[in-house]
Amino acid sequence: MKIPIALILGMLMASGCASSRLPPPLSATDLEQIKPLDLSVGIEPYQYPVYPDKLRNDLRNTKLFESVELKGKMKERPDVIAKVEKPIYGTASIRPCLSLITLGIIPTTVIEQHGEVFSFCSPDDPSRIVRVEFTYESATKLGWLALFLNLSPNWRINPESSHRYIDGLALAISTNAAAINELKAHNERPNKAFQAIGDKSPQPER
């Protein structure tokens, strides 16, 4: 019985036989630049749902925003809208065949791209856009060697879940924080000063 190569590759990866090198850690100075934004974010739909889902998860992991959700699932109007500009995906390759044939004994190295390329725009004026890009290339090892690499702080099965990846994305966003804040929707809010005057009860005469 023939077993599809994709299935074998999936089995190897599921068993931990894949590892990607992480980006370098940020300096203390860079980490100090990361500041939360008092904004809710709505994710614009994309032709392939996996990419807005990934963007939503990545933005949530940064913990920079009050809330992040797909636009179709939001009950209230978001302060800003985020849109996938360029899908980032792994490199398709037939080179792992040797690793598959040897059941992972001979490792294979492929170069993959990781990160996010997206934009924030104003709900009031979609032409007002702030583009954010955080991408890097790294080596991914396939085979049993990856099991040992995953013991290192510089390698991970899923780099998107690492602090280095999350911090790098958070820094790219924080660098544009002032411009992003200017996109905030001008939602109608009650005039508290006017309310205070209007609600003022007449004082009893003395």
Side-chain angles (χ1 to χ4, degrees):
M1 180 179 67
K2 294 182 179 180
I3 301 178
I5 290 179
L7 178 58
I8 298 176
L9 180 59
M11 293 170 63
L12 286 173
M13 296 185 69
S15 63
C17 295
S19 185
S20 297
R21 181 183 288 276
L22 299 177
L26 298 183
S27 66
T29 302
D30 287 336
L31 290 173
E32 290 177 356
Q33 297 183 45
I34 300 176
K35 305 293 182 182
L37 288 83
D38 184 23
L39 299 172
S40 61
V41 181
I43 307 295
E44 191 78 28
Y46 191 73
Q47 56 181 331
Y48 304 114
V50 63
Y51 295 112
D53 286 347
K54 179 178 178 296
L55 178 59
R56 175 191 59 185
N57 295 338
D58 282 353
L59 293 183
R60 283 179 175 176
N61 287 338
T62 65
K63 302 186 185 306
L64 293 179
F65 303 98
E66 282 190 349
S67 63
V68 182
E69 186 54 271
L70 302 176
K71 276 183 61 179
K73 295 184 178 181
M74 301 189 76
K75 296 182 179 179
E76 297 181 357
R77 189 186 190 202
D79 294 321
V80 295
I81 295 172
K83 178 182 177 181
V84 175
E85 293 290 346
K86 177 184 176 183
I88 303 297
Y89 46 83
T91 302
S93 174
I94 61 174
R95 293 176 57 192
C97 287
L98 189 56
S99 295
L100 296 173
I101 293 172
T102 62
L103 297 179
I105 296 175
I106 299 178
T108 299
T109 301
V110 296
I111 303 300
E112 294 189 297
Q113 191 175 35
H114 304 276
E116 294 281 6
V117 178
F118 64 103
S119 63
F120 291 102
C121 73
S122 168
D124 297 324
D125 183 0
S127 66
R128 296 170 56 201
I129 297 173
V130 176
R131 184 182 174 93
V132 177
E133 182 169 347
F134 166 66
T135 60
Y136 68 95
E137 287 188 345
S138 70
T140 295
K141 299 284 187 179
L142 301 174
W144 294 111
L145 175 63
L147 290 175
F148 300 97
L149 291 176
N150 286 329
L151 299 176
S152 166
N154 297 317
W155 293 77
R156 185 70 67 86
I157 297 176
N158 180 18
E160 284 79 8
S161 65
S162 71
H163 286 292
R164 293 188 189 182
Y165 177 95
I166 296 169
D167 289 345
L169 176 59
L171 178 62
I173 295 171
S174 296
T175 302
N176 296 278
I180 295 171
N181 275 318
E182 290 181 358
L183 301 176
K184 186 173 182 179
H186 297 289
N187 296 323
E188 293 185 2
R189 294 184 174 90
N191 189 321
K192 293 183 178 180
F194 181 80
Q195 274 192 338
I197 295 174
D199 293 343
K200 205 169 187 179
S201 302
Q203 298 297 322
E205 296 182 359
R206 292 184 179 179

